Amino acid sequence: MTAWTDLRVCVAGAGLSGRAAARVLAARGADVTLVDARDDESLLAKAAVPGVTVRLGDGESLPPGTELVVTSPGWRPTAPLLRAAAEAGVEVIGEVELAWRLRGPDAPPWLAITGTDGKTTVVRMLARMLEAAGHRTVAVGNVGTPIVEVVAGGDGADPEPYDVLAVELSSFQLHWSSSIRPLAATVLNVAPDHIDWHGSFEEYAAAKGKIFAPGTLAVVNADDEWSVRLGEGAERSVGFTLGVPSPGRLGVVEELLVDRAFTGDPVREAVELAELTDVRPFAPHNVANALAAAALARAFDAPPEAVREGLRRFRPDPHRIEHVATVADVDYINDSKATNPHAAAASLAAFRSIVWIAGGLLKGADVDELVRSCADRLRGVVLMGADRARLAEALARHAPDVPVVDVADTDTGAMDRVVTEAARLARPGDTVLLAPVGASMDMFTGYPARGEAFAAAVGRLAE
């Protein structure tokens, strides 16, 4: 308590994590100013935190006398306020780093997950496995629940202590962290994303790699080049693979998920964890997700039967390879969350004959390799959104015989036209797959709205 009393803290960003940080710091006696460039009545009402000074409409100037800045993950390092803090020698940390520093002596250990794709699926799989093992846990971090409230108390805090936390961490959150030390952590995969925020792919990857802190057991994806590279300097590591595992890894043997890392004799002993049919929805990348979650659970001594039961209890979040309907013997799959080439490639690899719905904001991503890798699976393509021309160019180069329909509309009925065109291209036994590659904000408020529009359009098609 003494360390925070009267400390002048600027919390940058009045979103969910910023408000949580402000509440917790004020409760610890800090002198807190919450700032945000936005200025509207609804935000003012949300940001009205007892004991906190709120400054809206000015997100650029550092409050006088500030001794520490706690920034929301969306604020770029180049933001004027954060630059001003750096020039003044004021430390800048994120809400996750704050939570780590506020932990008490009996705080639960963290099992942490990062990666370009699959984070939320793995953190929720892990939570189900830990629960099946009898542990009190919760999924926190980048999944909606601010970790600072769980660790240090706040409006959303649970009064009963947890045994262990399943923590999802984004590259933004890791960028602003310096001292977190998870018990075990994994980098699921690394592919180009958020380059505009980090400045380069190398900086983005380096931020992910911070999760492998000194003393942390590194759970490495042996099938991902960058996960392996980032784990090379770890003091302790295990791996997971979609192939047959060598000693020290988890992997797949015929129809089984097996463990050759957390056994009494990894050289001579393999432990069955689950069957492939326990992984839902079934797709190669989701099997990898299950293996990553299993490795983290096993690092906390979860028994094999808890891994199997956790997978059976797991229910994926919406808009992730979600089966919407079967119409005229054609499956319609909503993977609106596939907002970059890496995620879209994993989704496309799960099906054999596809009418692909793609488009949106590519954020500078290169799509040539993606199109080249899936060309032989494509029955047809329907393009929509701001950057559809770049996808059309890649298709012309690498899949010139695949029919492509360009839907230029952006009005509220655009998705109906997209789905109608996809149905026209599909044949019985095909899959119409929404795996957009791009972000959704050119036409929708977010990827959930895009997925909901797709599902609604499929529903009208079925009628």
Side-chain angles (χ1 to χ4, degrees), residues 336 339 359-361 436 438-451:
S336 184
T339 57
L361 296 169
S440 57
M441 281 74 75
D442 55 337
M443 294 175 62
F444 303 92
T445 57
Y447 75 83
R450 179 170 58 191

Side-chain angles (χ1 to χ4, degrees), residues 13-16 18-20 22-23 32-36 38 40-56:
L16 190 64
R19 298 194 303 270
R23 280 193 295 269
V32 182
T33 300
L34 178 62
V35 306
D36 200 292
R38 298 169 294 167
D40 58 72
E41 292 184 6
S42 63
L43 181 61
L44 180 61
K46 292 177 183 177
V49 180
V52 173
T53 300
V54 178
R55 191 188 75 189
L56 302 181

Side-chain angles (χ1 to χ4, degrees), residues 381-443:
V381 180
V382 181
L383 298 176
M384 63 178 181
D387 289 338
R388 65 188 186 281
R390 288 186 51 207
L391 280 160
E393 292 166 2
L395 286 159
R397 284 191 292 270
H398 306 296
D401 298 327
V402 174
V404 177
V405 178
D406 187 303
V407 177
D409 306 7
T410 58
D411 58 79
T412 55
M415 188 61 83
D416 285 274
R417 287 184 280 280
V418 166
V419 168
T420 298
E421 292 293 346
R424 184 178 61 80
L425 292 171
R427 299 291 180 268
D430 287 349
T431 298
V432 171
L433 174 64
L434 173 66
V437 190
S440 57
M441 281 74 75
D442 55 337
M443 294 175 62

Side-chain angles (χ1 to χ4, degrees), residues 47-73:
V49 180
V52 173
T53 300
V54 178
R55 191 188 75 189
L56 302 181
D58 178 7
E60 297 191 355
S61 57
L62 190 68
T66 296
E67 298 171 277
L68 175 70
V69 173
V70 179
T71 181
S72 298

Side-chain angles (χ1 to χ4, degrees), residues 259-348:
D259 173 9
R260 294 190 68 189
F262 302 94
T263 67
D265 185 353
V267 174
R268 297 179 178 86
E269 184 181 3
V271 175
E272 178 184 334
L273 299 174
E275 298 179 5
L276 287 177
T277 53
D278 294 319
V279 180
R280 293 169 293 183
F282 180 81
H285 69 281
N286 220 28
V287 175
N289 289 337
L291 289 166
L296 292 171
R298 296 283 282 160
F300 198 66
D301 295 328
E305 55 270 22
V307 172
R308 184 190 301 267
E309 181 59 28
L311 287 175
R312 291 176 175 175
R313 293 182 187 181
F314 168 73
R315 294 294 179 270
D317 283 2
H319 315 296
R320 293 165 170 82
I321 318 185
E322 180 180 22
H323 183 269
V324 174
T326 299
V327 182
D329 201 25
V330 173
D331 290 329
Y332 289 78
I333 304 295
N334 168 20
D335 198 8
S336 184
K337 185 64 171 64
T339 57
N340 60 59
H342 185 265
S347 189
L348 288 158

